[in-house]
Amino acid sequence: MPASPATAAPAPHRRQLVVATVTLAVASFSHGLTMPLLSLVLDHQGIDETLIGLNAGAYFIAVFAAAPLASRVLRARGPALIMLGSILATAALLALLRAFPDVWLWFSLRFLLGMAASFLWIAGEAWMNHAAAESHRGRIIAVFGVVVSAGFALGPLILSVTGAHGWAPFLVTIALLLVGAAVLAGALGSSPKLEGPTSATLARYVLLAPVAAFGYFVFAAGDAMLLTFLPIYAVGLGVDETHAIRLLTVMALGSMALQYPVGWLADRVSNRALAAVMGAALLAGSALLPWAIPHPATAVGIVFMFVYGGALGALYTLSLILVGRRFRGADLGGASAMLAVMFCIGSFLWPSLGGAAMDRFGGDAMPISLVAAYALFLVIMAATRLRGPPPQARI
């Protein structure tokens, strides 16, 4: 009988997988709650969508400062210590954001929050791919994706209960971050080091793994647009704010449900073909968002958003699987840093452009922006296929 994903790795690696997964699940909860929370806080202050988008972008642009440093520290110190410092910094910065709710000060605080998040995700994803057994990589990364998606789902759900006013949503997030810090503190002694030479600069990793790079890019673009503007867009269509926030939870639940089937398929069929299918599904789904969103409590609307969220989460999973199959050692840290850069370019560029487009042309600019992102991904996939196989990494 073939081994299950849970037993496919030796015991020390299983422990590493559990620690990395739990920590990034807490981080995803924080991200899933604070992105719409901070946007709603600013919206309640009367801040326009352009400034809200730019403010959200400050979080993501921080990766350009963090990624090159993170890949070097990862080789020297290993992932656990980096992740522990990052998660404690995140908790402190969230307290400052609530204590000083000023949009201009938030640009600096959200930049620092983005620095901490960049270190956390680069280290955590590299650790996860390092510990995953090759024969079960798709399913192991999928289980990781399910747990991380659960964190994203729980964030908006908790926000719909606490509301966007007062300290409650901030304190809940800080408390869970401290739980994650306690888990990491107990794993410092077993943290691996990602050693060896690297093949490339961060920019060249894009050429070494173009489908993973741009899959991660458009996942980030869609994720940031939806977390930042979906509640605002839905309210503009006449949806109650509580139902608007819960749309994000339905999408995250869909992402959870589709992760393992995608991981199972990724161990058996072409990962590129799966990525193309998901990109096409997201393009079609984005075009239909203006029809689906006004029905958030109906079966049709719930199923639509569930499947849409599943396809979006699948791009994240497939990108991680592709990187894990291609790189080892320090190269894995470098490639993970590249993914973080692509994530933050997408997360900064699309909310900034999308928010400006919504100000100028109205709310329907949001789904149009998403259609453009997924069309770009499919065009790049076609171009890389015509170009032939990418250059080889040094393994």
Side-chain angles (χ1 to χ4, degrees):
M1 179 181 295
S4 70
T7 60
H13 280 195
R14 289 201 298 274
R15 183 166 185 256
Q16 292 176 32
L17 288 168
V18 170
V19 171
T21 300
V22 168
T23 305
L24 288 188
V26 170
S28 68
F29 166 83
S30 173
H31 182 72
L33 187 148
T34 58
M35 283 295 290
L37 168 63
L38 298 180
S39 295
L40 288 169
V41 169
L42 294 177
D43 186 58
H44 292 158
Q45 293 178 11
I47 305 298
D48 64 51
E49 282 86 353
T50 299
L51 195 54
I52 292 173
L54 290 171
N55 194 259
Y59 174 96
F60 298 104
I61 203 170
V63 74
F64 295 103
L69 180 60
S71 62
R72 291 197 295 270
V73 177
L74 198 54
R75 291 199 299 273
R77 299 293 182 183
L81 186 61
I82 296 175
M83 294 172 73
L84 179 59
S86 299
I87 211 164
L88 291 173
T90 299
L93 287 163
L94 286 176
L96 290 173
L97 283 162
R98 175 60 188 90
F100 303 100
D102 177 83
V103 65
W104 302 111
L105 178 61
W106 277 19
F107 276 98
S108 298
L109 293 177
R110 292 183 85 170
F111 181 86
L112 294 174
L113 194 66
M115 289 278 290
S118 297
F119 277 96
L120 182 60
W121 284 94
I122 290 168
E125 289 176 354
W127 193 359
M128 175 62 56
N129 256 321
H130 173 79
E134 184 58 39
S135 61
H136 289 69
R137 184 177 302 280
R139 281 161 284 178
I140 289 171
I141 299 299
V143 171
F144 163 74
V146 169
V147 178
V148 168
S149 294
F152 281 115
L154 186 60
L157 181 62
I158 295 297
L159 180 59
S160 71
V161 174
T162 64
H165 299 280
W167 274 94
F170 291 90
L171 291 176
V172 169
T173 307
I174 290 168
L176 280 177
L177 286 168
L178 293 177
V179 171
V183 171
L184 277 169
L188 291 176
S190 61
S191 178
K193 291 184 179 179
L194 303 181
E195 299 173 329
T198 58
S199 294
T201 62
L202 293 182
R204 183 161 169 76
Y205 281 113
V206 176
L207 298 177
L208 293 170
V211 175
F214 285 98
Y216 218 77
F217 171 84
V218 295
F219 162 75
D223 180 65
M225 278 295 297
L226 291 161
L227 284 174
T228 303
F229 291 119
L230 181 61
I232 295 171
Y233 176 60
V235 168
L237 293 178
V239 177
D240 175 80
E241 184 175 292
T242 298
H243 280 126
I245 294 170
R246 285 177 180 165
L247 285 171
L248 297 173
T249 297
V250 172
M251 288 179 57
L253 291 172
S255 178
M256 290 171 59
L258 201 56
Q259 292 290 332
Y260 194 81
V262 168
W264 182 87
L265 285 170
D267 285 331
R268 289 164 172 78
V269 304
S270 166
N271 295 175
R272 287 178 59 99
L274 280 177
V277 169
M278 296 305 160
L282 287 164
L283 189 153
S286 298
L288 293 172
L289 280 175
W291 165 80
I293 286 176
H295 309 285
T298 67
V300 172
I302 290 170
V303 170
F304 180 93
M305 299 304 294
F306 186 88
V307 173
Y308 185 87
L312 183 61
L315 277 186
Y316 169 79
T317 301
L318 288 166
S319 297
L320 283 184
I321 293 168
L322 286 163
V323 162
R325 294 201 193 284
R326 185 159 178 76
F327 301 104
R328 297 290 184 273
D331 261 341
L332 190 53
S336 296
M338 176 275 292
L339 289 183
V341 170
M342 296 301 287
F343 182 92
C344 290
I345 293 173
S347 297
F348 172 74
L349 189 62
W350 245 254
S352 299
L353 294 177
M358 289 171 71
D359 277 341
R360 183 175 178 84
F361 301 110
D364 284 338
M366 191 202 79
I368 292 171
S369 299
L370 292 169
V371 167
Y374 302 121
L376 174 65
F377 175 59
L378 294 174
V379 168
I380 289 171
M381 283 202 71
T384 58
R385 184 173 181 82
L386 291 173
R387 185 193 71 179
Q392 291 297 310
R394 186 167 57 203
I395 295 177

